Amino acid sequence: MMKRIAVVEDEPLIREELAQMLEKAGYQVDKICEFDDTAQRLKALAPDLVILDLNLPGRSGFQVCREVKGMNGFPVLVLTSRDQMQDELRALELGADEYLTKPCRRERLLARVSNVLKRYEGRSNLLEGDGFLLDRQTYTLYIHNTSTVLPRNQGKLLELFLGRPSQTVEKEELCGALWGTAEFIDENALQVNLTRLKKTMADLGMEQKIVPVRGKGYRWESGKRRHEE
Amino acid sequence: MMKRIAVVEDEPLIREELAQMLEKAGYQVDKICEFDDTAQRLKALAPDLVILDLNLPGRSGFQVCREVKGMNGFPVLVLTSRDQMQDELRALELGADEYLTKPCRRERLLARVSNVLKRYEGRSNLLEGDGFLLDRQTYTLYIHNTSTVLPRNQGKLLELFLGRPSQTVEKEELCGALWGTAEFIDENALQVNLTRLKKTMADLGMEQKIVPVRGKGYRWESGKRRHEE
DNA sequence: AAAAAGCTTACAACAGCTGTAAGTGTCATA
DNA sequence: TATGACACTTACAGCTGTTGTAAGCTTTTT
């Protein structure tokens, strides 16, 4: 399957040259030319890799980098003419997967691109939690250098909670996630499954985080947040 | 928990300087000073990251890189004075996670080290196959942007094969992997499990690779390797 | 052609996950 | 502080998917 790369670069000449080079190397390229809501556009494109310039009109590339990594976790390769050490450190700290300075030789760029893509192979549906990762398909949970496959129901619940941090999730919805349509709600069965999830989380050393909201449902508390809302 | 870094560098001065820098940054450092069986030594150390020089006495650093990536999948950061583009490409192709040239500023090195470590968080036991990844603990198989949890026996077999690419693995050993001690060998049961593994591999679109060696055992053929050695 | 090695398939035993049900604990309000 | 509603625990039996068994088939070698 052809890998898709999004190019975020405001200088048209460089952008086109980049796109051509990548296409010649067998990638499908999406060019971003307007930079008012870059992160959102990227989310819609859902590429396999983002190549990002730091000097963008309006919003800074750093901001985009942070948003992309926080939101979707796409791999990000920063390609910029800013060669200050500080910029590099900042980009890496924000989660960039690679940092290259322009001008950059074709071979090097392509090698790094392929390297980053390879690293991310098969990891496109890892959900990021607070100190752990959850595979959406298999419900494999990665934490503290170990992995465990959660039973299906526990995985579904955890997945749902991770998508709604710090929000109250109603029982109806939880039941819906477990048994499809939420027409027949078995609060007890839900309760049992929640207990089981809590237990395996405790066994794995994750901080307890599923808080009951009386009469409503449950809320997932992100571990060591400082400020509540 | 303190991360452990193995430094593979033959020049004592540089080695010590590197080690000091890393230790000051809060890592535990293992220095490798003899280079006759580097990959084996690294395996025994089981570090969180390997910093590797390419110009080693005896065996080439490339060879070490390949062995480390094939065997254990530790993250490898190549730090070398060879700044030929060709070297960089080759190292990346062999699976190196990062390539830096000496001299390298402290901040850059530390940033890249922390970046690589972060990427590998919780992924320390992913075995790399030819176009796929296998989680040693859960036998979750990642391929083509999907993941599947293999049944235990199929996982064990695949794991064993991945550790012995292009070698004939005897039936005894395969049985040993499945049922502990290989004292009681049930060739038929083994056969059935192999068939099942082949089937799930075929279903997942992996090229067929388990070749019988008459009277001996089986051999895992690495798909589309160009040059063997 | 026959023997040996390798492979396929169906089936029953088994393990682990799931829902059920009955009972215990906790909280909020009168 | 008594009460009822809600929340939780536990044991158990049914179900699903994995495993070993056994019988028969195919391929290879001599």
Side-chain angles (χ1 to χ4, degrees):
Chain A
M1 202 165 306
M2 202 185 265
K3 296 279 185 178
R4 290 171 41 242
I5 298 181
V7 172
V8 183
E9 163 70 62
D10 63 322
E11 180 60 52
L13 231 69
I14 301 182
R15 186 169 64 227
E16 291 307 320
E17 192 189 335
L18 243 179
Q20 267 193 19
M21 177 199 304
L22 292 168
E23 275 164 358
K24 211 180 283 179
Y27 299 105
Q28 182 185 328
V29 179
D30 293 314
K31 288 165 273 192
I32 291 209
C33 311
E34 314 206 3
F35 308 93
D36 51 328
D37 200 2
T38 314
Q40 209 54 41
R41 288 170 195 270
L42 286 173
K43 186 175 182 179
L45 287 172
D48 297 297
L49 171 72
V50 177
I51 295 185
L52 178 65
D53 186 23
L54 286 183
N55 283 316
L56 297 175
R59 214 126 194 219
S60 127
F62 289 120
Q63 184 64 27
V64 173
C65 181
R66 167 185 290 138
E67 285 174 20
V68 166
K69 294 307 281 189
M71 184 157 52
N72 315 286
F74 301 142
V76 171
L77 186 155
V78 170
L79 178 64
T80 186
S81 51
R82 295 165 73 151
D83 67 343
Q84 297 295 311
M85 177 64 71
Q86 222 179 346
D87 291 330
E88 178 168 348
L89 298 187
R90 176 125 186 258
L92 291 178
E93 198 180 322
L94 286 180
D97 295 89
E98 190 57 79
Y99 186 98
L100 296 172
T101 51
K102 291 184 279 195
C104 175
R105 288 200 51 184
R106 210 183 71 92
E107 294 92 336
R108 167 172 283 135
L109 179 62
L110 290 177
R112 298 288 178 156
V113 163
S114 126
N115 195 33
V116 173
L117 283 173
K118 194 170 159 205
R119 293 201 304 250
Y120 269 80
E121 210 142 83
R123 292 173 194 176
S124 52
N125 26 31
L126 285 181
L127 250 180
E128 194 151 346
D130 183 60
F132 61 91
L133 297 170
L134 178 70
D135 184 314
R136 272 190 152 97
Q137 288 180 42
T138 61
Y139 302 121
T140 305
L141 179 64
Y142 293 87
I143 182 170
H144 296 142
N145 287 319
T146 64
S147 50
T148 321
V149 178
L150 296 182
R152 203 173 57 256
N153 283 356
Q154 294 181 39
K156 285 181 177 174
L157 290 175
L158 182 52
E159 180 186 9
L160 182 52
F161 279 121
L162 285 183
R164 305 266 169 83
S166 309
Q167 296 172 34
T168 298
V169 184
E170 309 203 348
K171 292 180 185 177
E172 290 186 350
E173 199 167 0
L174 289 161
C175 288
L178 288 185
W179 351 95
T181 61
E183 65 174 29
F184 230 55
I185 293 179
D186 184 335
E187 297 211 358
N188 188 15
L190 171 62
Q191 176 58 59
V192 172
N193 279 287
L194 276 173
T195 299
R196 299 209 251 244
L197 173 58
K198 282 193 203 171
K199 176 161 193 320
T200 78
M201 281 172 43
D203 290 349
L204 289 169
M206 300 162 70
E207 307 109 69
Q208 198 58 273
K209 283 172 179 174
I210 295 174
V211 182
V213 179
R214 197 153 239 259
K216 298 272 174 37
Y218 295 84
R219 197 175 60 234
W220 174 269
E221 295 277 321
S222 183
K224 37 203 167 184
R225 272 290 144 77
R226 208 122 322 168
H227 41 78
E228 217 53 22
E229 55 197 311
Chain B
M1 204 164 306
M2 201 185 267
K3 296 280 186 179
R4 289 172 41 244
I5 298 180
V7 172
V8 182
E9 162 69 63
D10 63 322
E11 181 59 52
L13 231 68
I14 301 183
R15 186 169 65 227
E16 290 308 318
E17 192 189 337
L18 243 178
Q20 267 193 19
M21 177 198 304
L22 292 167
E23 275 166 357
K24 211 180 283 178
Y27 299 106
Q28 182 185 328
V29 178
D30 293 315
K31 289 165 273 191
I32 291 209
C33 311
E34 313 204 5
F35 307 94
D36 51 327
D37 199 2
T38 313
Q40 209 55 40
R41 288 169 195 271
L42 285 172
K43 186 175 184 182
L45 287 173
D48 296 297
L49 171 71
V50 177
I51 295 185
L52 179 64
D53 186 22
L54 286 183
N55 284 315
L56 296 176
R59 214 127 196 220
S60 125
F62 290 120
Q63 183 64 26
V64 174
C65 182
R66 165 186 290 139
E67 285 175 18
V68 167
K69 295 306 281 189
M71 182 157 53
N72 315 287
F74 302 141
V76 172
L77 186 155
V78 170
L79 177 64
T80 185
S81 50
R82 294 163 75 149
D83 67 345
Q84 297 294 311
M85 178 64 72
Q86 221 179 347
D87 291 331
E88 178 168 348
L89 298 186
R90 176 125 189 257
L92 291 178
E93 197 181 322
L94 287 180
D97 296 88
E98 189 57 79
Y99 187 98
L100 296 172
T101 51
K102 293 185 277 196
C104 175
R105 287 199 48 184
R106 210 183 72 92
E107 294 92 337
R108 167 172 284 132
L109 179 62
L110 290 177
R112 299 286 177 157
V113 163
S114 126
N115 194 36
V116 172
L117 283 174
K118 193 170 159 205
R119 293 201 306 250
Y120 269 80
E121 212 141 82
R123 293 170 193 174
S124 52
N125 25 33
L126 286 181
L127 249 180
E128 193 153 346
D130 183 60
F132 63 91
L133 296 170
L134 178 70
D135 184 315
R136 271 192 152 97
Q137 287 180 40
T138 61
Y139 302 121
T140 305
L141 178 64
Y142 293 87
I143 181 170
H144 297 142
N145 287 321
T146 65
S147 49
T148 321
V149 177
L150 296 182
R152 203 173 56 256
N153 283 356
Q154 294 182 39
K156 284 180 178 175
L157 290 175
L158 183 52
E159 179 186 9
L160 182 51
F161 279 121
L162 286 183
R164 304 265 169 82
S166 308
Q167 296 174 33
T168 299
V169 183
E170 308 203 350
K171 292 181 186 178
E172 290 187 351
E173 200 167 0
L174 290 161
C175 288
L178 288 185
W179 303 298
T181 61
E183 65 174 30
F184 230 55
I185 292 180
D186 184 335
E187 296 211 0
N188 187 16
L190 171 62
Q191 176 57 60
V192 172
N193 279 288
L194 277 172
T195 299
R196 300 209 250 245
L197 173 58
K198 282 193 201 170
K199 176 160 194 320
T200 78
M201 281 172 43
D203 291 349
L204 289 169
M206 301 164 69
E207 309 106 73
Q208 198 58 274
K209 283 172 179 175
I210 295 174
V211 181
V213 179
R214 196 154 239 258
K216 298 272 173 39
Y218 295 84
R219 198 176 58 235
W220 175 269
E221 295 277 322
S222 183
K224 40 199 167 187
R225 272 292 144 77
R226 206 124 317 169
H227 40 77
E228 216 58 19
E229 58 193 308

